[in-house]
Amino acid sequence: MTRPNIVFIMTDQQRFDSIAALGHDHVDTPHLDRLVREGAAFTNTYVASPSCAPSRASLFLGLYPHSSGVLRNDERWSHSWVEHLSRSGYRCTSIGKMHTYPYETPVGFHERHVVENKDRTHPELPFFLDNWDKALWARGIRKPSRLTYCDRDDYRERLGAFPWELPEDMHADSFVGNLAQHWLDVYDGPEDEPFLLHVGFPGPHPPYDPPTRHLKAYEGREMPVPPHSREDLDAQPRPIRALREHHYENDLDGVVHLEDPTQEQMQRQRRHYYANVTLIDEQVGGILGALERRGVLENTVVIFTSDHGDALNDHGLSQKWNMYEGSVHVPAVIWAPGRIDAGSVVEDLVSLMDIGPTVLELADLPVPEWMEARSLLPAVTGGDWEGRRYVFSEHARDYILTDTALMTMVRDPRYKLVEFLDIEDGQLFDLQEDPLEERDLWDDPDHAEVRRRLHEAISTWRAESALHTATWAESTR
């Protein structure tokens, strides 16, 4: 079998509960449903960090953030496993968001057509004109952002949910998806040259801005209600309470976060969010169509996932920077005709970075020994497979997560523990009995042994990680 083309589709801030075929019928995703039916879904995929750059650096290096050195946004990273593919004869192209820093760092791609966050008008973000900015300017369109939305009388009531009222082809996700289809239509490399096409959609990251055409399908539709009780909020550790306060005071990405939003406001926010997912799903269908036009669909592997989720007011929180399920649990689907067991649903724990060695193996390339990631292929090819006993996630202090130097999560198939480097308080949840994470068992004496075991798991993980990755930096020189 010839080496396959690989289309790696990655959204920004897409929750785990956003594919209809996986039991979430509040969202319309016919093309992702097809990938699930004909491919393999990994339903317990967890990110190595709940924000963009550290999660993506982990994914594209196969390392945890403390190993890669990227523990927050806008920290430099310049290598990835894409370099292995480009050296082996793959044509490697990235269209859309990667969130490297600097933004146009090649990290192994032959060409990058960069589109970053929808809204970068916050004064603490670096200045950068991406391809979408330039296209909007060329069309004479002022880019929607917190600087334009704030002129609306209802700006402070919308929770970042605004309909896209400009030409639909200029929406960030339409722009990226259409550009990916254009590349597939016009790239004229050698016929026997395989390609890696990375497509980074900026959505459904806020502003939550789907076109009105997509919003119409969600009118009156009941969305899942966020867990959002006063008891829950009052019981949160100090760094999480401070995170909420930061969002009350800062309209990041056009989201004015409210302490006591109404059910109507939260329902509207979610309708906009999932309608944006439907827009992206439509673009996924367009990419599949472009592969078919090119005549390469049957020899192409499509991988779909996201860098982290979105709280959407779960536990009173906005966006990410926390370890609740809405933030750290993401969808992951592999579609590979003739290469994997179609229709597989893998419920074992996996880490998002495990996609890295999976791609390398699909490309018939060796996996570096220093990688902390592990291939997912055995799970869907009848190989020797065992899911992870634990998954881990971590995030360091930045200008948003301000009240802890380091937050770390570990979860096993039943329990999740969150610890903070510099305070005694933390969180412990029994996800079997309490899937919405509303009953914190941190101080429950009946769960003291579980808490001790999970603390020990974090300590062991960090020590083993240091030993395992000791040579990785040398390999990049």
Side-chain angles (χ1 to χ4, degrees):
M1 186 176 289
T2 60
R3 295 202 295 172
N5 306 304
I6 299 167
V7 174
F8 182 19
I9 301 172
M10 192 170 185
T11 61
D12 191 340
Q13 210 153 300
Q14 184 170 343
R15 296 163 57 103
F16 69 96
D17 57 355
S18 56
I19 299 180
L22 295 175
H24 310 295
D25 59 5
H26 54 271
V27 60
D28 298 330
T29 52
H31 302 290
L32 293 177
D33 294 349
R34 173 189 173 183
L35 297 185
V36 169
R37 287 194 309 269
E38 300 175 5
F42 296 82
T43 58
N44 277 304
T45 301
Y46 285 81
V47 301
S49 186
S51 69
C52 297
S55 178
R56 290 165 184 261
S58 171
L59 168 58
F60 279 94
L61 286 166
L63 296 168
Y64 286 106
H66 68 262
S67 300
S68 73
V70 183
L71 283 152
R72 55 183 70 78
N73 282 339
D74 301 326
E75 291 189 325
R76 291 178 178 269
W77 56 289
S78 55
H79 292 283
S80 80
W81 44 255
V82 176
E83 295 167 311
H84 297 253
L85 274 78
S86 60
R87 287 195 296 262
S88 77
Y90 271 78
R91 176 68 182 189
C92 299
T93 299
S94 175
I95 296 173
K97 182 172 180 178
M98 270 282 291
H99 216 62
T100 55
Y101 191 74
Y103 292 129
E104 294 180 304
T105 304
V107 293
F109 288 103
H110 295 98
E111 52 180 311
R112 292 195 58 201
H113 307 277
V114 177
V115 177
E116 271 294 321
N117 283 10
K118 299 176 186 177
D119 185 352
R120 292 193 312 281
T121 59
H122 195 279
E124 295 189 37
L125 291 177
F127 174 79
F128 179 65
L129 287 174
D130 66 20
N131 285 6
W132 183 47
D133 292 317
K134 298 168 191 174
L136 288 166
W137 173 79
R139 290 274 290 270
I141 298 172
R142 186 183 180 190
K143 181 179 178 179
S145 72
R146 56 193 284 275
L147 298 183
T148 62
Y149 290 129
C150 70
D151 292 335
R152 295 174 56 120
D153 292 339
D154 61 353
Y155 175 61
R156 304 195 66 82
E157 303 170 9
R158 301 289 301 191
L159 297 177
F162 310 99
W164 180 264
E165 297 172 338
L166 297 172
E168 190 175 314
D169 66 322
M170 293 309 297
H171 187 282
D173 295 317
S174 297
F175 180 82
V176 167
N178 290 334
L179 186 56
Q181 294 172 54
H182 177 62
W183 187 91
L184 288 167
D185 286 336
V186 303
Y187 176 66
D188 61 352
E191 188 173 336
D192 60 348
E193 176 191 55
F195 61 80
L196 166 70
L197 175 60
H198 163 260
V199 185
F201 287 104
H205 188 291
Y208 309 113
D209 59 353
T212 53
R213 175 171 65 89
H214 294 88
L215 269 174
K216 285 181 180 178
Y218 286 82
E219 288 180 0
R221 186 182 301 191
E222 197 69 24
M223 295 288 108
V225 177
H228 189 109
S229 69
R230 175 48 55 187
E231 294 77 15
D232 174 18
L233 272 57
D234 290 344
Q236 290 171 352
R238 187 192 74 221
I240 304 303
R241 296 197 305 271
L243 177 64
R244 293 203 327 266
E245 292 291 335
H246 185 279
H247 280 104
Y248 299 150
E249 297 166 2
N250 293 271
D251 57 339
L252 298 174
D253 305 302
V255 181
V256 176
H257 193 51
L258 303 176
E259 185 169 2
D260 292 303
T262 66
Q263 285 297 322
E264 180 182 355
Q265 287 172 313
M266 291 188 288
Q267 286 284 305
R268 177 175 60 200
Q269 182 187 54
R270 291 190 169 214
R271 290 190 185 105
H272 280 67
Y273 176 87
Y274 289 111
N276 196 160
V277 172
T278 297
L279 165 61
I280 293 169
D281 177 86
E282 185 176 84
Q283 288 294 330
V284 170
I287 291 169
L288 295 175
L291 290 166
E292 192 161 24
R293 286 195 302 274
R294 191 178 177 93
V296 298
L297 184 62
E298 294 307 311
N299 191 39
T300 298
V301 173
V302 178
I303 299 172
F304 179 89
T305 192
S306 192
D307 57 353
H308 52 77
D310 190 318
L312 290 179
N313 266 292
D314 286 354
H315 310 285
L317 292 163
S318 178
Q319 300 205 49
K320 57 266 190 186
W321 299 283
N322 66 82
M323 297 299 183
Y324 288 106
E325 289 291 284
S327 184
V328 295
H329 186 180
V330 295
V333 182
I334 300 175
W335 183 85
R339 287 180 164 84
I340 65 173
D341 300 329
S344 301
V345 176
V346 180
E347 297 179 349
D348 300 308
L349 293 173
V350 302
S351 178
L352 179 65
M353 67 177 175
D354 293 338
I355 288 173
T358 305
V359 170
L360 292 177
E361 288 195 353
L362 285 164
D364 198 25
L365 294 172
V367 177
E369 291 184 0
W370 46 259
M371 272 195 177
E372 297 179 277
R374 57 182 74 166
S375 174
L376 301 173
L377 283 186
V380 291
T381 57
D384 185 16
W385 165 259
E386 184 177 351
R388 289 180 177 268
R389 182 181 179 190
Y390 300 110
V391 286
F392 301 91
S393 190
E394 56 190 343
H395 202 288
R397 176 185 287 122
D398 60 14
Y399 74 91
I400 297 172
L401 182 70
T402 58
D403 273 40
T404 183
L406 183 67
M407 172 178 60
T408 305
M409 179 208 83
V410 57
R411 81 150 289 186
D412 66 13
R414 179 168 180 174
Y415 292 99
K416 175 191 290 185
L417 179 138
V418 181
E419 68 175 29
F420 302 94
L421 179 63
D422 33 21
I423 66 171
E424 293 296 324
D425 203 3
Q427 295 175 299
L428 176 64
F429 298 106
D430 181 345
L431 296 177
Q432 178 177 299
E433 299 298 323
D434 177 28
L436 297 181
E437 301 171 288
E438 295 181 292
R439 298 189 297 278
D440 188 352
L441 303 172
W442 180 265
D443 291 320
D444 182 1
D446 291 340
H447 289 83
E449 177 57 26
V450 173
R451 178 175 152 184
R452 184 205 62 77
R453 174 175 62 82
L454 294 177
H455 277 307
E456 185 176 287
I458 291 176
S459 298
T460 301
W461 163 62
R462 291 200 187 280
E464 291 178 343
S465 173
L467 290 171
H468 188 85
T469 62
T471 62
W472 93 265
E474 182 67 27
S475 72
T476 64
R477 293 175 184 168

